[in-house]
Each structure stands twice: as C-alpha cells, then as structure tokens.
Amino acid sequence: MSNSPRSPVGFHLSALALAGCLATGVLACSGPQGPEGPAGAQGPAGPAGADETAKPVRLLDDKVGRWLPENRTRLNALIQTQGIASATFDPKNRPVAVFDWDNTLVKNDLGDATFFWMIRHDKVRQPAARDWSTTSLHLTDQARAALNAACDAAAAPGEPLQTSTASACADELVSIYNGGKTRAGQTAWLNPITLTTNTAYAWVAQLQAGYTPEELRAFARSAYAENAFNPPGTTQTVGTTTGLAYHVRVYEEMVDLVETLQANGFDVWVLTASPQFVVDAVSEPLVGIKPNRVIGIRMMTDAQGRVTPRIQGCGTVADGADTLITYDQGKRCWINKVIFHQPVEQQLARQPDARKRQVFAAGDSDTDLSFVQDATHLKLAINRAKVQLMCNAYANLGGQWLVQPMFVLPRAKGANYPCTTAVDAAGQPLVDEAGNRFTQDYEDKVYALP
C-alpha cells in the first residue's frame, strides 16, 4: 500500500505520517526488492516444472545496506539451500528463522522507548493500595519505600501517576529500571538477573497493568513515531534524568533480509524481551512480520481483557510465578512452546531433533545466546561487544556463525573479549556450544562497516 512507513529510499516518512499509518493499522507495503533468481524462478505458489530446477524468488538486494560481503553471500546461500529452491523444501514444515527485536531488527530499544514515553505522558498507574509489591514480587523493601516516598502523592490508587510533572516519581521509576538501584543508591531488586528472567525488563511489562492490549499498542506506536526520525545518538530527559536514548529506527538491511526469507518460504518470527504488545504493534508495518509471529513478554489478563502485573509462564514455570520471561534460556522455552509446540516438560531444553529447531537465528546480546546457538544452519551476531555472545561467535564452532557490525553507529574496536575469565548470569565460567571452557580471549575483529 502507498502509505507505508517503509519506502525504498530508506523508510523515512514524517513522524506524523508514520503515527497515522500505525494508528490506523495499515499493513506494510513491500520494501525494496532484491534481485530475482535466474530465469524460470518459481514462487511459493508451486514447484518448478519437470524440465527446470526451482530457483529462489529473490535474493538480498545488493543495493540495500552495508552487509559485510561474506555475510551477504552466506545468507543468500541459506536462502537458496533451505528455501523454496531446495529439493527438500516442505511447505507444510517450513524452515524457521527467529530474530531478536531490539538492537537486532531495530537500532536501540523500543521497550525502553515506550516505557519512557509512558512516564513522560502520565500513563503508568498508581498500584492498588499504593503497594508496589503488586507490580513486581522482586522489588526490595528499600525500592518499595523509595517509590512510596516519591510517588504516593502523584495519583490515587489505580489512576495514572502524574509523572510528567512529578519529577521525583519519574526519576525513581527510571533509576530502578535503568540502574537497578533507588536514587539513594540502594539495591532495588532481589536476584535481579537469572538464566530465565531480568526483573527490570519484566517490570516494564508489569507497569502496563490496567490497560487493554490495543491501548498499549497505541502507546508503542506513539513512542516509535516520536523516536524514529530523530538523528542517531539523540537523547532525551525523563523527569530530571538526562542522556536517555531518543532514537529507534528499523535497520533497512534487516527488513530486506526478513522480506527475502519470507518470499522464499521461511516462517519468520520475532522473539523479544520487550512487552508483547509493544512489539507486535509495529512489527508488521515496520518489518513485515505479522503480530501472530511475535513472541514478547506475555502478561495475564483479567476478566475485562486488561493486562495484569502477572506474567504467563512457560515450561514447568506456572502462570503468575513471574520467574521466566522471553530472556536468555526463557527465549528458548518460548520458541519450543509457541513455534514448535513441544511438551511442557521439554520446553526449557534444547531439542535434540534438529527438525524441531530454527535453521537461522539473529541476536545482539548475551541473553540471545541460547536461541541463537540452537539454530541449525546460520547464527548471526550483531556486534554490540556482548562478551558471551561474541566469544561464541568468534569461536565459530561448526563454522555457522556470522558477525555483523551494527548498521547504524557501529562501535569502535574493543579490547579482547575475556572469554577465559568471564562468567554467565549464574556465575559459571563461559563455555562454548559443546560445553567446553574457552581456551583463548578472542580479539574483536569485526566491528567496522564496509
């Protein structure tokens, strides 16, 4: 359709036009098309004739973006060998590709952007009885006391906190979320990070309680419209906290990759540690992935269909336990649950049957590692200097890893990664995909765009 937020010249419409497009739920038009396969190529509608070989519908557009040449070549090879051109392609069992969202498909973090937007626009609600433990079971006593002191006067229970003017309340929310401490420097979270949850990330979703999914989607669309057309590196002030990112924009290279995979028969999914209704609000108009192919932090709802602070479980973790989200090994769990429909008792484990795993995965963070490792053919790491991910990527066990610099504001060369001495979220030494300790600290070699 003509009024899409994506355009062949770099997806730049006015913020007003984007907001209108997203708010009305307009579907995305096709992005810039890659080169067609050789003459005689067949689309997903049917196989090639008896006298010809099936060809890819399209490959990556060599005029879009700044893929490293080897990465573009290997991605095109994956498309040719696993998509509809493959003799083994089964339309009833399509190859699966899974992408992280924040800092993988888009620059920066839409979950952060939406949370900051909610604070600046008075959308976070005062918890029932002003009891902040109802928002998260993992807040410390000190954090709850700090929130009471800063926010009690900002609204009645159940009403939106006036955080656009109550800067002390806004600052406390940002400090606890962004730094894990109160403004007075006290620890805000009990056991803040595990192999299945990040309590601060979960809190962003929990603080959306009281709204319907469509109301939350509207918040996310508005937040994206505010952020998308600011220059890279733009920052904002929330309350009195300065220096917070104020720029989120899709990577056109990743849009082209998603569209090319889809055109060639891949089943493409988003897996994100941002809230479900933040990402599925914009996934289709921005990158062409339908909301039913988005897996984010999923909340339980009440009888009126409004979001509650309790989190849906996965595997053997029950609904409302609030100890597992789409984070680290929790991402693997949700893939097994939603995409491959594995039994509850098997959802937290890597599936031994390669046919029940994604062929391709892409991520940028240590907390993407388990689901990226699970990919059977190619594993794409966007280099943001995350130690655990990059140690695995540079070790390149099995020769299946691709390392790609960030497409916007790529980082400078970093120090050698401390693969032999760093530990994971459980405090254990880092290991490679075979479970072995790393024997060297890898040099950071792939950080600059061509």
Side-chain angles (χ1 to χ4, degrees), residues 12-35:
H12 304 309
L13 295 182
S14 71
L16 180 61
L18 176 65
C21 178
L22 291 179
T24 55
V26 177
L27 303 185
C29 67
S30 296
Q33 296 269 323

Side-chain angles (χ1 to χ4, degrees), residues 10 70 112 131 136 177 198 210 230 250 328 331 392:
E70 179 186 355
D112 286 1
D131 181 1
S136 174
Y177 169 65
N198 178 308
N230 297 328
V250 294
D328 205 336
K331 287 192 169 186
N392 275 267

Side-chain angles (χ1 to χ4, degrees), residues 16-244:
L16 180 61
L18 176 65
C21 178
L22 291 179
T24 55
V26 177
L27 303 185
C29 67
S30 296
Q33 296 269 323
E36 294 185 358
Q42 298 292 316
D51 58 345
E52 63 179 327
T53 302
K55 304 297 193 298
V57 170
R58 55 181 278 197
L59 299 175
L60 293 178
D61 191 337
D62 58 10
K63 296 180 178 62
V64 171
R66 302 176 71 181
W67 285 108
L68 298 185
E70 179 186 355
N71 292 347
R72 184 189 298 274
T73 297
R74 295 188 67 188
L75 288 166
N76 279 333
L78 176 79
I79 291 161
Q80 291 171 304
T81 60
Q82 298 299 310
I84 61 171
S86 170
T88 60
F89 180 80
D90 178 0
K92 295 182 179 180
N93 187 27
R94 296 187 294 150
V96 171
V98 185
F99 292 81
D100 171 59
W101 179 265
D102 300 302
N103 283 301
T104 298
L105 286 171
V106 303
K107 177 69 174 180
N108 289 337
D109 192 304
L110 185 57
D112 286 1
T114 303
F115 181 48
F116 298 149
W117 183 93
M118 289 179 66
I119 294 173
R120 290 192 300 104
H121 290 83
D122 302 336
K123 299 300 184 184
V124 177
R125 293 181 181 274
Q126 180 78 268
R130 295 185 171 89
D131 181 1
W132 286 90
S133 68
T134 64
T135 67
S136 174
L137 305 175
H138 305 288
L139 285 165
T140 62
D141 292 342
Q142 294 83 358
R144 296 198 303 272
L147 288 163
N148 285 134
C151 301
D152 274 5
E159 295 298 316
L161 293 162
Q162 300 303 298
T163 42
S164 62
T165 54
S167 59
C169 183
D171 290 346
E172 203 66 68
L173 290 167
V174 171
S175 180
I176 289 172
Y177 169 65
N178 224 30
K181 294 182 180 296
T182 68
R183 287 186 300 156
Q186 297 169 309
T187 299
W189 297 107
L190 304 168
N191 199 22
I193 295 175
T194 71
L195 293 175
T196 59
T197 196
N198 178 308
T199 51
Y201 289 4
W203 200 44
V204 167
Q206 292 169 310
L207 289 176
Q208 294 182 339
Y211 293 103
T212 67
E214 280 309 310
E215 288 172 328
L216 295 172
R217 290 179 176 120
F219 296 168
R221 291 168 185 141
S222 295
Y224 184 81
E226 279 194 6
N227 279 260
F229 304 106
N230 297 328
T234 302
T235 61
Q236 63 179 313
T237 298
V238 179
T240 65
T241 305
T242 60
L244 300 172

Side-chain angles (χ1 to χ4, degrees), residues 263-293:
N264 284 280
F266 286 75
D267 188 13
V268 181
W269 292 74
V270 168
L271 182 68
T272 175
S274 284
Q276 174 73 34
F277 304 125
V278 166
V279 176
D280 75 18
V282 299
S283 61
E284 188 167 17
L286 294 184
V287 301
I289 297 176
K290 292 182 180 295
N292 67 356
R293 287 298 188 269

Side-chain angles (χ1 to χ4, degrees), residues 261-391:
L261 290 167
Q262 290 174 328
N264 284 280
F266 286 75
D267 188 13
V268 181
W269 292 74
V270 168
L271 182 68
T272 175
S274 284
Q276 174 73 34
F277 304 125
V278 166
V279 176
D280 75 18
V282 299
S283 61
E284 188 167 17
L286 294 184
V287 301
I289 297 176
K290 292 182 180 295
N292 67 356
R293 287 298 188 269
V294 174
I295 309 171
I297 301 177
R298 296 188 173 184
M299 309 304 296
M300 300 174 68
T301 54
D302 63 19
Q304 288 73 45
R306 297 183 180 275
V307 168
T308 74
R310 303 284 71 84
I311 300 169
Q312 291 185 31
C314 181
T316 56
V317 177
D319 290 350
D322 298 354
T323 58
L324 186 150
I325 63 172
T326 41
Y327 178 88
D328 205 336
Q329 293 183 17
K331 287 192 169 186
R332 169 187 287 152
C333 188
W334 275 95
I335 287 175
N336 288 333
K337 176 179 179 175
V338 174
I339 302 178
F340 294 105
H341 309 292
Q342 294 303 296
V344 166
E345 64 275 7
Q346 297 179 22
Q347 289 170 3
L348 265 168
R350 173 182 286 188
Q351 299 305 304
D353 185 349
R355 295 171 299 178
K356 297 176 181 178
R357 305 211 308 265
Q358 56 273 23
V359 301
F360 171 79
D364 68 280
S365 174
D366 291 346
T367 61
D368 297 324
L369 181 60
S370 63
F371 91 88
V372 175
Q373 283 182 331
D374 287 353
T376 59
H377 286 70
L378 278 186
K379 313 170 190 200
L380 173 63
I382 304 297
N383 187 354
R384 290 206 308 127
K386 300 301 180 180
V387 172
Q388 197 171 357
L389 180 71
M390 297 310 299
C391 288

